[in-house]
Amino acid sequence: MRVQVRERRTPQARDRPRSSAGTGRQMTGIRAKADGSTTALQASGSSGGAMLWLTDPKGFDSLACDGYVRLADSPEISAAVNTIARLVGSMTIHLRRANDHGDERVTNDLSRVVDITPNRYLTRSALIQWIVRTLYLDGRGNCIVLPITERGRLRELMPIPSAYTALYATSLYDYRVEIAGREYLPENLLHFAINPGSFYPWRGEGYTVTLSTVANSLKQAAATETGFLQSKWKPSIIVKVDALADEFSTKAGRKKLLEEYVEGSEAGEPWLIPAESFDVQSIKPLTLSDLALKDFVELDKKTVATILGIPAFILGVGEFKRDEWNNFISSTIMPLAQIIEQELTKKLLTDPDLFFRFNNRSLLNYSMDELIKAGSEMVDRMAMRRNEWRDWMGLEYDPEMDELLALENYIPADRLGDQSKLTGGET
């Protein structure tokens, strides 16, 4: 391999002939040796010489970062996506029915399949986490789940790896899904998509393009840190010696002098060296703080957090803030959960009064005092039974706390008319 080196010339010098004699400078190229190492690039001239050395291939590989970087291979991006997946997967999925008096929860075989046993191998939490990870990472914004039915009843929800699926348009508004060479209609599958495309809205685009540059930067920062920590060129002491001494002409001679004057048999033993030949200086080696690597990594982490809509403290930048966490649940987790619950409702239910809904109350960050205060006010206003309040607090059911209570010494609601002040008795 030969690398050409060009001399940068001023506009006045461009009219002069390009010759080594005219410039008084000799340029030599770089040629790769058979063992993979490189020779030096030497620039010399009448006014002096300079030498530019290139690192050997082993040292270059420790600092350079080439090749394609998968989003799943980036620790920061993977940590952010895993957090989103765990939170969505931890929410229970309720099958509910809308009626004239409000929504009520429905429990049947369908709700059990979706919320507890989606298939023989996975739980609901594992399946939802797989869906979210596929949407953000391997699926590039798309995820396919195949419903297995028997006599019109849903039996299983089988996740299909993105490597076995293909989405292709058949017209401007219609498309088909191919799974391992077999074609399916979209209405017969669960197709989850995030970040809809501008040309084909049914196809999700994900965040691969926007995150790829940040993933490369984070990988380069990790490679730089590893290469810096493994580098041996970080001496803490420099010993200046007389270069004319014969002992320094060979490597064995230099090692012999170190053994005689510098290396001690015990820790803390003083050095005894000739004053005329040695000059010991202590230096501060270059650190990662000098490279400002931490600042660049934090900036990239904040970029990842902004793109994915998560608080930066999840990636180790900044401190935990409860308001920021609750906003993250409302603005990122719940919109993603709505994509999943709407697809489940659209494809699995035929009754227009039924729908699926994630229960997100357990994800919001409340203090114990806030739960007690809110529950107390709702019980006082007969908007909640005490057992529902106990459920908020994680306590067990109590059969004596099913009645609605009102003020006036908290009497049952069905006995409000028995108060003496209403029946003519003493007040």
Side-chain angles (χ1 to χ4, degrees):
M1 175 184 68
R2 181 180 295 274
V3 179
Q4 296 181 351
V5 180
R6 296 183 179 179
E7 180 186 5
R8 186 174 182 180
R9 312 179 74 197
T10 61
Q12 295 78 7
R14 292 175 182 171
D15 297 333
R16 295 197 295 266
R18 295 177 179 268
S19 62
S20 59
T23 59
R25 180 179 295 272
Q26 296 178 351
M27 309 294 291
T28 59
I30 306 171
R31 184 181 299 275
K33 297 181 180 180
D35 59 356
S37 61
T38 56
T39 59
L41 167 65
Q42 181 178 2
S44 59
S46 59
S47 60
M51 184 71 73
L52 173 65
W53 295 95
L54 296 183
T55 182
D56 59 1
K58 183 178 180 180
F60 179 80
D61 292 339
S62 66
L63 297 178
C65 176
D66 297 328
Y68 174 72
V69 181
R70 296 172 62 245
L71 297 185
D73 295 336
S74 173
E76 293 78 9
I77 296 177
S78 181
V81 173
N82 286 338
T83 300
I84 298 175
R86 287 195 303 268
L87 292 176
V88 179
S90 65
M91 291 187 291
T92 56
I93 305 177
H94 294 174
L95 176 61
R96 305 187 68 87
R97 182 187 300 275
N99 52 44
D100 297 336
H101 305 289
D103 302 336
E104 61 180 3
R105 186 175 180 180
V106 178
T107 303
N108 54 25
D109 293 340
L110 177 61
S111 65
R112 179 177 178 82
V113 171
V114 174
D115 186 49
I116 301 178
T117 57
N119 60 57
R120 71 193 77 172
Y121 307 109
L122 300 177
T123 61
R124 177 255 308 158
S125 178
L127 177 63
I128 297 300
Q129 289 188 47
W130 177 86
I131 291 175
V132 175
R133 284 185 55 85
T134 302
L135 286 173
Y136 280 95
L137 301 176
D138 298 331
R140 294 175 175 265
N142 300 274
C143 179
I144 302 297
V145 175
L146 176 63
I148 305 297
T149 59
E150 181 180 345
R151 297 180 181 179
R153 293 180 176 271
L154 180 65
R155 296 304 181 188
E156 290 184 319
L157 296 174
M158 299 302 298
I160 307 299
S162 57
Y164 291 97
T165 62
L167 309 176
Y168 57 92
T170 57
S171 65
L172 185 59
Y173 303 104
D174 199 8
Y175 72 102
R176 297 290 184 270
V177 180
E178 185 176 297
I179 301 177
R182 183 177 178 181
E183 184 179 282
Y184 291 84
L185 294 174
E187 53 265 29
N188 295 331
L189 299 170
L190 296 177
H191 176 200
F192 306 99
I194 58 174
N195 193 17
S198 57
F199 192 78
Y200 292 122
W202 47 264
R203 184 197 299 271
E205 292 185 349
Y207 302 96
T208 303
V209 177
T210 54
L211 288 174
S212 58
T213 303
V214 185
N216 289 328
S217 300
L218 291 171
K219 183 179 180 181
Q220 180 62 69
T224 302
E225 180 179 359
T226 302
F228 179 83
L229 295 176
Q230 293 178 350
S231 175
K232 64 180 180 179
W233 304 111
K234 294 184 296 183
S236 57
I237 294 179
I238 291 181
V239 180
K240 184 171 64 175
V241 298
D242 186 1
L244 299 179
D246 296 337
E247 290 84 350
F248 300 109
S249 59
T250 62
K251 182 177 180 180
R254 294 189 293 269
K255 183 177 181 181
K256 182 178 180 181
L257 285 177
L258 287 176
E259 293 176 351
E260 291 179 356
Y261 295 103
V262 177
E263 295 182 1
S265 58
E266 297 181 1
E269 182 180 353
W271 295 356
L272 301 177
I273 58 177
E276 298 81 5
S277 302
F278 290 85
D279 182 14
V280 181
Q281 297 180 2
S282 176
I283 64 171
K284 180 182 179 181
L286 188 66
T287 64
L288 290 174
S289 299
D290 299 326
L291 300 178
L293 191 62
K294 179 182 178 182
D295 298 334
F296 289 111
V297 171
E298 287 189 357
L299 182 61
D300 289 337
K301 288 183 178 180
K302 291 181 179 179
T303 303
V304 172
T306 302
I307 294 175
L308 296 180
I310 67 173
F313 59 75
I314 291 181
L315 300 180
V317 180
E319 298 180 354
F320 173 81
K321 297 180 180 179
R322 188 177 62 177
D323 293 339
E324 191 174 352
W325 173 266
N326 291 336
N327 180 69
F328 161 60
I329 299 299
S330 302
S331 61
T332 299
I333 298 300
M334 289 314 299
L336 178 60
Q338 289 174 1
I339 293 176
I340 299 175
E341 66 189 20
Q342 288 175 6
E343 182 70 8
L344 293 174
T345 301
K346 177 183 177 182
K347 300 292 182 63
L348 300 182
L349 301 178
T350 56
D351 190 338
D353 295 332
L354 294 176
F355 62 94
F356 288 103
R357 189 176 71 183
F358 280 88
N359 181 21
N360 71 318
R361 188 176 58 83
S362 61
L363 298 183
L364 298 175
N365 187 273
Y366 298 109
S367 66
M368 188 70 71
D369 294 338
E370 290 175 337
L371 290 177
I372 294 175
K373 182 179 179 180
S376 175
E377 293 180 355
M378 295 188 69
V379 168
D380 290 347
R381 289 160 176 77
M382 295 188 297
M384 176 186 289
R385 290 178 170 83
R386 287 173 293 172
N387 268 325
E388 295 174 310
W389 186 11
R390 291 173 62 87
D391 182 64
W392 275 19
M393 308 301 297
L395 301 177
E396 296 181 356
Y397 172 82
D398 189 338
E400 298 181 357
M401 295 188 177
D402 269 340
E403 294 179 327
L404 288 174
L405 298 182
L407 291 175
E408 196 72 28
N409 296 328
Y410 295 97
I411 63 176
D414 57 353
R415 297 188 58 189
L416 291 176
D418 296 340
Q419 300 178 69
S420 58
K421 65 180 180 181
L422 300 179
T423 59
E426 296 181 359
T427 59

